[in-house]
Amino acid sequence: MKQRIVSGMRPTGKLHIGHYLGVIDNWVKLQNEYESFFFVADWHALTTKYDNTEDLRQDTIDVVTDWLACGLDPDESTIYVQSLVPETAELHIYLSMITPQHWVEKDPTLKDVAKMIKSGDGQGICYGLMGYPVLMSADIMTFNANYVPVGIDQVAHVEITRDIARRFNSIYKVDLFNEPQPLLNKCSYICGVDGNKMGKSYHNDIKISDTEEATTKRVMQAITDRSRLRRDDLGHTDQCEVAFKYWQIFGSESEIAEIKASCESGQMGCADCKRKLAQKINERFRAIREKRHYYEQHPEEVLEIIRYGSDKAHKAAAEVLKEVRKAVRIY
Ligand code: TRP
């Protein structure tokens, strides 16, 4: 029996190459080794965007389209949408009954989000947002997962899940739930072209779905060595804020050495360097983008994959929920 992994992403729309390098590429590698469940967390989107759901459906499709393009395989992985597996909502109720309030109040991510949220009607943050980590625990425990492949920012949530799983077992005197462990991504961190965290709202990202022209345009905006004013000034790769960092991710060892040498000897200017870099990035994403184009042209196939995966997930979840109901003594 393979061990199980579960992970999800909120439907933020078209994903950027940071999502690919940081998360999706890792999922693609793990999907053969584990029984895998990957889902779009549309309920989690509602914790902050309950009053702005116009694009929610399309954003969900866009995320799954990106996943498929990157190589998530619907025959290997169960790809589903959170709201199509109602067992998760039911489990969330049981878990919310046993989760001490101070566990969710001390959640560090929640504190950050709560600070950012300015509710339009002056009502502050909602009850559902307080339950974010409990809902996330339900996502993971609905399949009684062993591991959760996530970025470092989500580890605190997986820790709450472990605490909740342990507490459930202890309160109902069962040995039902595993205490799931985070599986940290071994992937690269990539900053945006301005050197800050890559993000859609910062307009510093390169989308998986961008054209080669758009990618080149973005790469040409990348910050380089700020002390290098003229083309024949000697460059300093250790002070290059973005472009050389990208080379270290996308270049081969010999290419990186070559770029370093021609930059530091003043032979190659920053514009030429970035033009080459853009080509390199476009090569890396060419096949992925072709595949994405195919799915964009066949949205009914994407929907069919979501329906098929959600049905599979629902059946697997029902088995766990049967045990949960028995343990809690619910009819
Ligand atoms: N909170 C995660 C994020 O913002 C998304 C998520 C929701 C998730 N439920 C999950 C990740 C369960 C892993 C497992 O990225």
Side-chain angles (χ1 to χ4, degrees):
M1 273 282 275
K2 283 184 182 174
Q3 294 204 300
R4 274 188 178 173
I5 58 175
V6 176
S7 196
M9 261 184 213
R10 280 169 297 132
T12 49
K14 295 193 171 98
L15 302 175
H16 54 63
I17 63 173
H19 291 114
Y20 174 71
L21 296 166
V23 183
I24 307 170
D25 194 31
N26 198 38
W27 290 359
V28 171
K29 288 180 189 134
L30 293 169
Q31 66 181 341
N32 305 312
E33 202 181 320
Y34 293 92
E35 187 184 357
S36 308
F37 296 85
F38 300 115
F39 69 98
V40 183
D42 55 350
W43 281 331
H44 275 107
L46 292 183
T47 61
T48 55
K49 290 180 69 176
Y50 53 86
D51 57 352
N52 181 10
T53 56
E54 228 160 89
D55 298 327
L56 190 52
R57 282 198 180 145
Q58 187 55 44
D59 286 347
T60 300
I61 298 285
D62 282 338
V63 168
V64 176
T65 305
D66 278 326
W67 289 355
L68 294 168
C70 291
L72 273 199
D73 176 352
D75 294 324
E76 286 289 342
S77 299
T78 302
I79 298 170
Y80 71 99
V81 172
Q82 185 184 34
S83 62
L84 289 174
V85 180
E87 284 78 7
T88 300
E90 185 184 343
L91 183 57
H92 173 251
I93 290 185
Y94 304 132
L95 301 185
S96 69
M97 302 302 170
I98 67 163
T99 304
Q101 187 175 334
H102 70 97
W103 287 12
V104 296
E105 280 170 353
K106 70 170 190 222
D107 178 55
T109 321
L110 195 68
K111 280 189 189 155
D112 291 346
V113 177
K115 253 185 262 162
M116 270 160 41
I117 304 263
K118 289 192 195 68
S119 166
D121 55 7
Q123 295 297 328
I125 68 167
C126 288
Y127 171 62
L129 178 61
M130 292 303 298
Y132 193 108
V134 186
L135 182 56
M136 190 158 154
S137 301
D139 293 324
I140 298 164
M141 292 166 64
T142 304
F143 304 100
N144 204 3
N146 306 94
Y147 295 100
V148 189
V150 283
I152 190 97
D153 59 315
Q154 298 295 317
V155 167
H157 286 140
V158 182
E159 257 150 40
I160 296 186
T161 305
R162 296 163 55 76
D163 292 340
I164 295 177
R166 196 177 311 127
R167 190 166 155 87
F168 185 100
N169 288 345
S170 136
I171 288 174
Y172 297 110
K173 301 188 178 53
V174 286
D175 188 20
L176 174 54
F177 285 115
N178 299 313
E179 289 176 27
Q181 298 276 1
L183 205 58
L184 277 182
N185 297 329
K186 282 186 229 63
C187 299
S188 0
Y189 168 80
I190 185 167
C191 61
V193 292
D194 58 358
N196 298 314
K197 185 174 158 57
M198 187 177 280
K200 160 166 144 173
S201 46
Y202 311 129
H203 305 289
N204 64 0
D205 61 336
I206 299 167
K207 300 257 190 306
I208 294 168
S209 52
D210 276 344
T211 60
E212 300 201 351
E213 294 70 44
T215 302
T216 304
K217 226 166 132 186
R218 260 292 148 80
V219 173
M220 295 309 287
Q221 298 166 357
I223 308 273
T224 52
D225 172 3
R226 290 183 201 263
S227 70
R228 196 176 185 195
L229 301 176
R230 264 172 258 101
R231 194 202 162 287
D232 46 5
D233 286 346
L234 303 189
H236 309 84
T237 48
D238 58 340
Q239 284 167 42
C240 181
E241 288 181 34
V242 177
F244 192 65
K245 290 188 182 135
Y246 280 16
W247 271 112
Q248 286 169 315
I249 294 171
F250 294 103
S252 67
E253 238 163 78
S254 61
E255 282 166 335
I256 297 169
E258 218 174 278
I259 292 292
K260 186 174 159 73
S262 49
C263 166
E264 295 185 348
S265 62
Q267 278 168 341
M268 185 181 57
C270 293
D272 284 342
C273 165
K274 289 193 280 190
R275 251 187 297 277
K276 276 195 188 158
L277 173 62
Q279 268 174 24
K280 195 79 210 155
I281 295 175
N282 283 330
E283 271 165 35
R284 171 79 175 264
F285 286 96
R286 196 160 295 145
I288 289 176
R289 284 168 170 166
E290 273 166 24
K291 204 161 167 193
R292 195 183 196 288
H293 186 70
Y294 170 84
Y295 282 113
E296 248 169 65
Q297 302 297 307
H298 298 86
E300 71 292 344
E301 259 182 62
V302 178
L303 273 173
E304 185 47 37
I305 287 169
I306 291 174
R307 278 197 213 99
Y308 170 75
S310 300
D311 190 50
K312 237 167 86 184
H314 157 70
K315 286 184 177 129
E319 283 178 32
V320 176
L321 261 289
K322 210 164 93 190
E323 296 304 316
V324 172
R325 289 173 151 253
K326 205 159 95 191
V328 184
R329 295 180 197 86
I330 289 283
Y331 277 110

